[in-house]
C-alpha cells in the first residue's frame, strides 16, 4: 500500500517520491516507486539484493539519474532543470557501504572539505563545525587521523560526520554496516540511534533487521524494483501480509 | 691513457670553455623551468578534458595525444621553429622551442595523469558529489591529489626524460647546453666539452632524482 505515512510528525514530507522509474539499458530496476518520508521519520528499506533498494536511494540525490518520475526533497523538485543539484545535495546526506573517505585527508579534512567549498565557511569556522560533527559520532580525538589509521567502524562514523556537518534535512544510508566486521557494527548503529533521537530524518537500506525492529518507524520491503509491502516494523516482521515478504524474512532469519 | 685524457678530459680546454658552456647550462635550466611546469599543467588539462566524458572533447583529446606522441619531436621542433615564420608567425626562438616541446610533453604527461585519474574509484567521486561539490571541485580537491600520488613514479621519470630531451633544441641552433658543447668541440677540435656537458647534466639532474625520490617516499608514507 504505497503512500502510507508514518505518524511521527504532521506537516509536509521531507522526501516525496512519485512514480519513480529507473532502467539500465533494457533492465528496469525501479518500476514506479511512490514513497513519502516525514520529518524525523526513520524509514528502513529491506529486500533481496538486486531489488533496487540502493538505486532508489541513489535516485534521491541524483547520483543516479531517474528514467522518469518525480522526487521532491523538502519541497524542492530535484529533477527540475532549474534546480541547482549541488545546492540540493548539501541538504541530503549520504553514507555509503564502502565509507568512501578521502584517503589523502585527515578525518577533520574529510569533514571540512564540503563545509569550506560548498557551504563557503572560512577554514576556522569550518573546523569548528567539523570538530562538533566528529564529536557527534564520538570521534573528537581522531580529528587528525588519516582514514587508514582508523578501524572500519571509525571510518564509517567519520563518513557520517562528513554528511552531518552540512546539517542535512535528510540522511540516506546505503548498507552502512555491510562492509564492517561484526564487532564494529554496534558503534555505527549507536551513532545512528543518537541521530534518530536528535530528530534526523533517515532512510536506511540495510540488512540489520534487529536494528530495524527496534529503531525504525516504518519498514519497506522491496522486490524486483517495486515496493511490495510497507508498515510499522512490528507488523512487517511479526505479521507480513505478502508471500514474498514472508519468504524473504524467512530466508534472512534462517541464516 | 694519455690519449684519453688529451681527448676527453683536457683540463686547459675545460678551463677555457667553461664560461661558454655555462651560458648553455643556464639556457638549459631556463628551458626546463618553462617546459616542465607547462607540460605538467597542460598535461593535467588534457587529462581532465578526457575525464569530462563529453564525447567530442574525449575524441579531440585522443587525437591530440595520439598525434603528438607518434609525431617525431625533432620534426615537430624544426617545423615550429622554421615553419611558423613562413606563414607569418614570427616567434622568439625561446617561445617556439617551448611551444614545440609543450605539444610533445603535454601528451605524455596527459597520458600519465589520465591513468592516474582513472585509478581513482567511483566511490570517491560519489562521496564528493553527494556533499554538493561540483565536478571541478571534486577533480581538484579529491581526485587529482590522489591521482598524482598514484602516478608519482611515472611523473618523476617523465620529468627527467623531458629535462634531457631539451637537448633536442640544439638542432635548431638554440644555445642550450648540448649546442654550446658541440660548438666548443668544433672550435677546439676536441670532444672534451661533450664530457663537460655530460657532467653539467649530471649536476642538474642528480639532485632532482634524489629530491623526487625522497618526495615520493614521503607521499607514499602518508597514505
Amino acid at each position: 500500500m504505497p503512500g502510507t505515512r508514518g505518524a511521527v510528525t504532521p506537516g509536509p514530507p521531507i522526501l516525496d517520491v512519485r512514480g519513480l522509474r529507473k532502467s539500465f539499458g533494457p533492465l528496469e530496476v525501479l518500476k514506479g516507486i511512490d514513497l513519502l518520508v516525514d520529518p524525523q521519520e526513520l524509514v528502513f528499506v529491506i529486500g533481496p539484493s538486486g531489488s533496487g533498494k540502493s538505486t532508489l536511494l541513489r535516485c534521491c540525490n541524483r547520483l543516479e539519474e531517474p528514467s522518469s518520475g518525480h522526487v521532491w526533497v523538502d519541497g524542492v523538485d530535484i529533477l527540475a532543470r532549474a534546480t541547482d543539484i549541488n545546492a540540493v545535495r548539501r541538504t541530503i546526506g549520504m553514507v555509503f557501504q564502502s565509507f568512501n573517505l578521502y584517503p589523502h585527508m585527515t578525518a577533520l579534512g574529510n569533514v571540512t572539505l564540503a563545509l569550506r567549498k560548498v557551504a563557503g565557511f572560512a577554514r576556522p569556522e569550518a573546523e569548528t563545525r567539523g570538530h562538533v560533527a566528529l564529536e557527534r559520532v564520538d570521534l573528537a580525538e581522531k580529528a587528525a587521523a588519516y582514514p587508514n589509521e582508523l578501524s572500519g567502524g571509525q571510518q564509517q562514523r567519520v563518513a557520517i560526520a562528513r554528511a552531518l556537518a552540512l546539517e542535512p534535512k535528510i540522511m540516506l544510508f546505503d548498507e552502512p554496516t555491510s562492509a564492517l566486521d561484526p564487532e564494529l557494527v554496534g558503534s555505527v548503529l549507536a551513532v545512528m540511534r543518537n541521530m534518530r533521537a536528535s530528530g534526523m530524518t533517515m532512510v536506511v537500506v540495510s540488512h540489520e533487521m534487529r536494528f530495524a525492529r527496534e529503531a525504525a518507524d516504518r519498514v519497506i520491503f522491496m522486490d524486483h524494483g517495486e515496493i511490495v509491502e510497507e508498515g510499522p516494523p512490528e507488523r512487517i516482521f511479526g505479521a507480513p501480509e505478502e508471500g514474498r515478504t514472508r519468504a524473504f524474512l524467512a530466508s534472512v532469519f534462517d541464516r | 691513457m694519455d690519449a684519453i685524457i688529451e681527448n676527453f678530459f683536457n683540463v686547459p680546454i675545460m678551463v677555457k670553455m667553461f664560461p661558454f658552456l655555462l651560458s648553455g647550462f643556464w639556457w638549459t635550466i631556463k628551458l626546463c623551468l618553462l617546459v616542465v611546469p607547462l607540460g605538467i599543467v597542460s598535461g593535467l588539462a588534457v587529462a581532465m578534458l578526457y575525464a569530462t566524458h563529453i564525447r567530442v572533447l574525449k575524441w579531440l583529446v585522443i587525437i591530440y595525444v595520439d598525434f603528438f606522441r607518434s609525431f617525431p619531436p625533432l620534426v615537430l621542433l624544426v617545423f615550429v621553429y622554421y615553419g611558423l615564420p613562413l606563414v607569418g608567425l614570427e616567434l622568439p626562438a625561446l617561445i617556439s622551442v617551448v611551444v614545440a616541446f609543450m605539444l610533445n610533453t603535454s601528451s605524455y604527461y596527459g597520458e600519465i595523469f589520465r591513468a592516474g585519474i582513472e585509478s581513482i574509484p567511483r566511490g570517491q567521486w560519489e562521496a564528493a558529489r553527494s556533499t554538493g561539490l561540483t565536478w571541478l571541485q571534486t577533480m581538484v580537491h579529491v581526485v587529482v591529489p590522489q591521482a598524482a600520488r598514484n602516478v608519482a613514479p611515472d611523473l618523476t621519470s617523465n620529468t627527467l626524460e623531458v629535462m634531457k630531451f631539451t637537448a633536442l633544441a640544439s638542432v635548431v641552433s638554440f644555445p642550450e647546453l648540448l649546442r654550446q658543447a658541440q660548438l666548443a668541440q668544433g672550435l677546439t677540435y676536441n670532444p672534451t666539452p661533450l664530457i663537460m656537458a655530460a657532467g653539467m647534466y649530471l649536476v642538474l639532474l642528480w639532485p632532482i632524482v634524489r629530491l623526487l625520490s625522497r618526495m615520493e617516499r614521503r607521499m607514499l608514507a602518508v597514505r
Side-chain angles (χ1 to χ4, degrees), chain B residues 24-37 39-40 97 101 104-105 108-109 155-170 176-178 197 200-212:
Chain B
F25 187 53
W26 292 132
W27 275 115
T28 290
I29 290 176
K30 277 181 221 165
L31 269 185
C32 290
L33 286 176
L34 283 170
V35 171
V36 170
I40 288 177
V97 168
F101 282 153
N104 179 271
T105 55
Y108 281 91
Y109 278 122
L155 288 176
T156 303
S157 52
N158 194 56
T159 299
L160 294 171
E161 275 314 303
V162 168
M163 292 177 76
K164 284 181 277 183
F165 176 79
T166 56
L168 216 56
S170 59
E176 49 68 61
L177 182 51
L178 183 66
M200 287 177 168
Y201 275 114
L202 203 69
V203 167
L204 175 64
L205 294 174
W206 189 70
I208 295 172
V209 173
R210 294 306 335 140
L211 188 80
L212 288 176

Side-chain angles (χ1 to χ4, degrees), chain A residues 58 61 63-64 86 89-90 92 94 96 100-105 113-114 117-118 146 148 162 166, chain B residues 122-135 137 141-143 145-146 149 221-223:
Chain A
R58 295 160 59 85
N61 65 354
L63 277 188
E64 221 66 80
N86 294 314
R89 278 178 177 154
R90 201 194 132 183
I92 311 170
M94 189 167 215
F96 302 86
N100 299 346
L101 291 184
Y102 314 133
H104 60 301
M105 295 181 190
L113 180 63
K117 302 299 170 188
V118 182
Y146 283 88
N148 66 354
R162 173 171 67 184
L166 294 165
Chain B
R122 240 177 94 106
Q124 291 289 308
W125 280 97
E126 293 181 346
R129 298 303 305 272
S130 79
T131 61
L133 291 176
T134 63
W135 184 90
Q137 286 173 325
H141 299 291
V142 175
V143 175
Q146 295 184 63
R149 204 167 284 190
V222 168
R223 280 205 286 181

Side-chain angles (χ1 to χ4, degrees), chain A residues 153-173:
Chain A
Q154 290 171 331
Q155 288 188 49
Q156 191 60 298
R157 280 144 65 199
V158 172
I160 292 173
R162 173 171 67 184
L164 266 185
L166 294 165
E167 297 175 347
K169 304 249 169 59
I170 183 170
M171 291 271 293
L172 310 173
F173 291 82

Side-chain angles (χ1 to χ4, degrees), chain A residues 24-239:
Chain A
F24 295 105
L27 182 69
E28 191 168 43
V29 183
L30 295 177
K31 299 171 181 163
I33 300 286
D34 297 298
L35 174 65
L36 294 173
V37 178
D38 283 322
Q40 310 202 348
E41 200 182 7
L42 196 167
V43 173
F44 227 86
V45 184
I46 61 173
S49 67
S51 58
K53 306 169 301 229
S54 290
T55 307
L56 169 60
L57 275 197
R58 295 160 59 85
C59 283
C60 294
N61 65 354
R62 271 178 68 187
L63 277 188
E64 221 66 80
E65 210 61 49
S67 304
S68 67
H70 292 279
V71 179
W72 287 270
V73 175
D74 199 31
V76 178
D77 179 356
I78 71 163
L79 299 175
R81 205 171 255 280
T83 300
D84 174 2
I85 188 62
N86 294 314
V88 176
R89 278 178 177 154
R90 201 194 132 183
T91 68
I92 311 170
M94 189 167 215
V95 174
F96 302 86
Q97 178 176 355
S98 49
F99 327 140
N100 299 346
L101 291 184
Y102 314 133
H104 60 301
M105 295 181 190
T106 61
L108 187 63
N110 269 273
V111 175
T112 53
L113 180 63
L115 282 173
R116 294 193 291 124
K117 302 299 170 188
V118 182
F121 293 114
R123 193 181 281 272
E125 171 68 10
E127 292 191 343
T128 308
R129 285 168 184 259
H131 281 293
V132 170
L134 285 172
E135 232 158 79
R136 284 184 69 183
V137 299
D138 208 15
L139 283 175
E141 77 286 4
K142 295 290 187 188
Y146 283 88
N148 66 354
E149 300 164 336
L150 300 172
S151 75
Q154 290 171 331
Q155 288 188 49
Q156 191 60 298
R157 280 144 65 199
V158 172
I160 292 173
R162 173 171 67 184
L164 266 185
L166 294 165
E167 297 175 347
K169 304 249 169 59
I170 183 170
M171 291 271 293
L172 310 173
F173 291 82
D174 191 1
E175 306 206 17
T177 57
S178 298
L180 294 176
D181 291 333
E183 76 272 18
L184 300 176
V185 170
S187 67
V188 172
L189 296 185
V191 165
M192 292 169 68
R193 215 169 273 130
N194 283 341
M195 288 170 64
R196 171 175 157 63
S198 62
M200 178 60 73
T201 309
M202 300 156 81
V203 180
V204 182
V205 168
S206 169
H207 299 290
E208 299 291 335
M209 299 300 171
R210 254 190 31 202
F211 182 68
R213 201 184 274 248
E214 122 205 13
D217 294 301
R218 184 156 47 117
V219 175
I220 289 175
F221 172 66
M222 278 182 72
D223 193 21
H224 294 300
E226 297 168 321
I227 292 180
V228 175
E229 187 170 2
E230 63 178 297
E234 315 81 68
R235 198 176 64 65
I236 297 294
F237 291 117

